[in-house]
Amino acid sequence: PTTTDIKSFGMVWDGTTWDRMPGTSAEGTQVQVTRSGTATLTNVNDSASSATLLAAAVGRKGAVIFNDSTVALYVKYGATASITSFSYKIAAGATWEMPTIVYTGIIDGIWDSDASGAARITELT
């Protein structure tokens, strides 16, 4: 570098030191993408009572939930979901994918009623 002004550099903190961000002027900043090598599939039958869909898992890298019930599923980041305390509402026959900011705590769910069907869950670790 020909300048001494640290503000002109693209820097990142790695927990110990400041490092220049990797990348080129042609391709931009390079970002390391977290990848998963394991997919665990589970089913949770629909219920009008709160049920745990996914236990807390520090190693979680993502999750997908397909609601194959005939009624809506309310998914909550945290314990004890209800139709008034939830994070996401998944319509009957719809799929939800966890956003890229991965939540690693417990995930609970509750359906509008005890109908027929289940949450078909894929957890990526």
Side-chain angles (χ1 to χ4, degrees):
T2 57
T3 182
T4 59
D5 188 357
I6 196 81
K7 294 178 196 171
S8 67
F9 303 144
M11 304 292 281
V12 293
W13 179 254
D14 71 2
T16 305
T17 62
W18 285 98
D19 297 317
R20 292 198 64 186
M21 288 189 287
T24 67
S25 60
E27 296 176 358
T29 303
Q30 297 172 357
V31 178
Q32 183 177 357
V33 177
T34 302
R35 291 179 170 82
S36 171
T38 304
T40 304
L41 281 66
T42 57
N43 298 316
V44 176
N45 290 330
D46 63 7
S47 172
S49 300
S50 184
T52 297
L53 303 178
L54 288 169
V58 174
R60 181 181 301 138
K61 295 181 178 167
V64 178
I65 300 174
F66 173 69
N67 179 19
D68 83 349
S69 178
T70 56
V71 296
L73 166 61
Y74 300 83
V75 175
K76 180 178 182 178
Y77 284 173
T80 317
S82 73
I83 60 171
T84 59
S85 178
F86 63 93
S87 305
Y88 297 94
K89 180 179 180 181
I90 307 173
T95 300
W96 170 82
E97 286 187 57
M98 182 176 283
T100 55
I101 298 175
V102 176
Y103 174 73
T104 59
I106 188 171
I107 299 176
D108 279 5
I110 189 170
W111 285 261
D112 274 327
S113 64
D114 188 358
S116 68
R120 310 296 179 188
I121 303 163
T122 303
E123 181 176 32
L124 305 172
T125 56

